[in-house]
Amino acid sequence: MTKRIVAFRRLKESQLDQLRHEFHVDYFERLDSADDPAFRHALRQAHGLVGAGLRITPEMLDDAPRLEAIASISVGYDNYPIDELNRRGILLCNTPDVLTETTADTGFLLIMATARRAIELAEFIKRGDWQESIGDAQFGSDVHGKTLGMIGMGRIGAAIARRGALGFGMKVLYSNASPKPALDAELGAEHRDMDALLQESDFVCVTVPLTAETERLIGQREFARMKSSAIFVNIARGKVVDESALIDALNQGHIHAAGLDVFEQEPLPDDSPLPHMANVVALPHIGSATHETRTAMAQRAVDNILLALKGERPISLVNESAWNG
Ligand code: DGY
């Protein structure tokens, strides 16, 4: 019997061909809602899913009795109910490694753009306000030589830290579940508890995954501990931060500015003040969004699902217990 796949993110023709060579593919180039009747119908027969940006609920799994594997086109897997997947023996695969450097570029872009006020000052020119030499009112803050505090030191955190230490001569501090002696040696990085990191850092950059433990990890208490000159950068997930506490901290001058690629609600609701604040650089979740990297991520997901549905171990497996169980 030919297995069936539901693909719910845009894939290249060559990637679709690879899948169609092995499986029957129901392809939704753009899926606006998980309630789309054609999608729900396809789900009922699916052995595999490939896609991203869709919250998969236990109820959806109830409607997908044949499902064996999901290949997410993302490194983050907070959209998936891991315990339910484990219970049902459904493999979950993600796309680490191929997006590390691109996402770190985005992190550093936010550090630079926020410190040097690049977006705000580009708008200043567009408005025709550049009528005389700029002065104090347009000055920003240095990045080189400052202290970069990384909350989370996984692959992406380490890639940002490397840019800071080796490219910009920054002192790197990090708070992480465990110290990373190899990075300490490579970058002169120093492990700190969270409070010490918040107090000492000029830039505080969040890269932890969203889990039950990290939800709202950064709130009023944490912003109160940062320097008033601190710049806060989030490229992890919006829900790691209490967004209203962030808005208060920015408005009340507890911190200087923020660079944000992720938000509690995405797309940002129309009434969010964040994109309109002069001391905020807000981006529409572009972390890994380059042509090269999104193609590589989709290819990793295709490779993962091909292996998983043939009973072979996928390249990047999230839930070992479903594989072992
Ligand atoms: C991921 O891969 O989890 C990213 O957030 C998508 O850009």
Side-chain angles (χ1 to χ4, degrees):
M1 183 196 57
T2 306
K3 290 189 174 175
R4 300 182 73 101
I5 293 212
V6 177
F8 55 94
R9 249 300 155 93
R10 206 181 71 74
L11 297 172
K12 296 236 178 259
E13 266 318 302
S14 61
Q15 294 168 338
L16 279 170
D17 286 347
Q18 250 187 300
L19 292 175
R20 286 180 178 134
H21 193 254
E22 304 280 343
F23 311 116
H24 175 95
V25 180
D26 289 303
Y27 181 42
F28 298 83
E29 184 170 346
R30 211 194 136 81
L31 186 67
D32 291 324
S33 157
D35 296 330
D36 179 322
F39 172 72
R40 295 309 280 241
H41 182 261
L43 196 58
R44 273 198 281 281
Q45 306 174 64
H47 300 87
L49 297 183
V50 179
L54 186 67
R55 176 164 291 280
I56 304 289
T57 63
E59 294 68 35
M60 287 162 77
L61 298 179
D62 288 341
D63 281 350
R66 298 181 183 171
L67 199 59
E68 296 171 23
I70 303 175
S72 186
I73 309 175
S74 67
V75 68
Y77 45 87
D78 43 289
N79 267 342
Y80 304 92
I82 297 281
D83 290 346
E84 279 296 319
L85 294 175
N86 288 342
R87 201 170 65 73
R88 297 165 197 241
I90 298 171
L91 303 181
L92 176 64
C93 315
N94 67 343
T95 62
D97 305 317
V98 292
L99 50 54
T100 301
E101 298 302 328
T102 299
T103 310
D105 286 348
T106 304
F108 227 85
L109 162 70
L110 283 171
I111 289 172
M112 294 295 292
T114 312
R116 299 302 303 272
R117 303 170 55 188
I119 311 294
E120 183 193 346
L121 294 175
E123 290 299 325
F124 169 85
I125 293 191
K126 280 189 194 157
R127 280 196 311 270
D129 287 349
W130 191 21
Q131 299 298 337
E132 55 188 48
S133 296
I134 58 130
D136 282 25
Q138 287 80 37
F139 291 172
S141 318
D142 277 341
V143 173
H144 67 271
K146 294 284 183 70
T147 298
L148 173 62
M150 299 301 306
I151 299 181
M153 196 56 133
R155 297 178 189 84
I156 295 170
I160 294 174
R162 217 166 263 124
R163 282 160 175 70
L166 306 179
F168 289 79
M170 298 177 92
K171 174 174 176 177
V172 174
L173 308 177
Y174 65 101
S175 125
N176 195 59
S178 53
K180 302 261 181 170
L183 282 174
D184 299 352
E186 180 191 347
L187 307 177
E190 295 174 21
H191 189 254
R192 289 279 192 283
D193 66 34
M194 174 86 103
D195 280 358
L197 178 141
L198 297 172
Q199 280 157 11
E200 290 178 51
S201 299
D202 299 302
F203 295 85
V204 174
C205 181
V206 184
T207 62
V208 287
L210 174 63
T211 63
E213 289 73 42
T214 62
E215 189 162 351
R216 298 202 162 208
L217 180 70
I218 311 293
Q220 190 190 12
R221 178 187 171 283
E222 287 66 36
F223 289 119
R225 277 167 174 68
M226 293 181 202
K227 296 180 182 181
S228 57
S229 56
I231 290 180
F232 177 73
V233 170
N234 187 4
I235 58 157
R237 285 291 184 268
K239 288 186 176 146
V240 171
V241 177
D242 176 345
E243 206 164 89
S244 63
L246 169 63
I247 292 167
D248 287 347
L250 287 162
N251 280 334
Q252 292 162 14
H254 293 316
I255 64 171
H256 178 59
L260 307 169
D261 188 41
V262 288
F263 303 89
E264 263 178 19
Q265 194 183 321
E266 295 178 9
L268 259 181
D270 289 343
D271 60 357
S272 171
L274 286 167
H276 309 291
M277 293 167 73
N279 55 351
V280 171
V281 173
L283 296 176
H285 200 148
I286 64 163
S288 60
T290 64
H291 292 293
E292 299 91 330
T293 294
R294 284 294 170 85
T295 300
M297 289 166 70
Q299 188 59 49
R300 172 64 66 86
V302 166
D303 294 341
N304 278 333
I305 204 77
L306 283 166
L307 288 167
L309 292 191
K310 284 185 197 161
E312 292 172 36
R313 192 191 161 86
I315 305 162
S316 1
L317 177 65
V318 172
N319 54 347
E320 282 292 330
S321 65
W323 177 256
N324 296 325

